Amino acid sequence: MENLIIQSTEETPEINFNINGTLLIKGVSIPENITLFYTPIVNWLNELQNNLPNSVNLTFEIEYINTSSTRVFIDIIKKVAAIKATLPNTTITWKYEEDDEDNFDLGKDLEYSAKTEFVFEVI
């Protein structure tokens, strides 16, 4: 298993998934083909479940996402939440700018939809 690094574009976020359990999704997520972009990420997380590190820390630092991305994010969050069931020192962090209530609310909605707890952090 290797790290998964995908550079950001105007339509896709930076993905920096490290086999040590440090996972980052940062930027804008409005890919033209949601399945093409996110399938390797979901597959990588499936593989991580079979090669668990000591801890997993998923951090979202999102500027904007579309509806399709929201659905995929819920799937990603649920996969990490499943890891949390066997690896208690797993965290999901939602970073947002202090004055961006919409982004904070999006994080709260995702937290609720995925039925898991987030750490909210102002940047």
Side-chain angles (χ1 to χ4, degrees), residues 23-27 58-64 92-98 100 103-104 106-107 118-123:
L23 315 176
L24 173 68
I25 300 176
K26 179 179 180 178
L58 171 60
T59 301
F60 289 95
E61 197 171 324
I62 300 301
E63 294 171 34
Y64 179 79
I92 300 170
T93 303
W94 187 267
K95 293 187 176 185
Y96 64 99
E97 293 188 19
E98 186 173 11
D100 192 347
N103 196 318
F104 174 78
L106 173 62
F118 285 15
V119 173
F120 288 88
E121 188 176 303
V122 175
I123 51 174

Side-chain angles (χ1 to χ4, degrees), residues 38-118:
Y38 280 103
T39 295
I41 296 160
V42 171
N43 290 343
W44 192 93
L45 283 170
N46 289 336
E47 192 174 336
L48 183 69
Q49 288 179 309
N50 297 322
N51 300 284
L52 286 178
N54 293 329
S55 66
V56 174
N57 301 295
L58 171 60
T59 301
F60 289 95
E61 197 171 324
I62 300 301
E63 294 171 34
Y64 179 79
I65 65 174
N66 60 14
T67 305
S68 300
S69 295
T70 302
R71 288 189 215 112
V72 173
F73 278 24
I74 291 169
D75 291 341
I76 289 170
I77 294 162
K78 285 181 177 180
K79 287 189 178 302
V80 174
I83 291 171
K84 190 175 188 176
T86 58
L87 197 62
N89 53 343
T90 296
T91 59
I92 300 170
T93 303
W94 187 267
K95 293 187 176 185
Y96 64 99
E97 293 188 19
E98 186 173 11
D99 60 348
D100 192 347
E101 290 182 31
D102 290 339
N103 196 318
F104 174 78
D105 290 343
L106 173 62
K108 281 296 197 182
D109 290 346
L110 290 170
E111 177 186 49
Y112 177 79
S113 296
K115 297 177 178 67
T116 192
E117 187 175 328
F118 285 15

Side-chain angles (χ1 to χ4, degrees), residues 6-14 26-31 37:
I6 302 172
Q7 298 299 316
S8 65
T9 69
E10 290 181 10
E11 296 181 348
T12 59
E14 170 189 348
K26 179 179 180 178
V28 173
S29 183
I30 53 170
F37 183 76

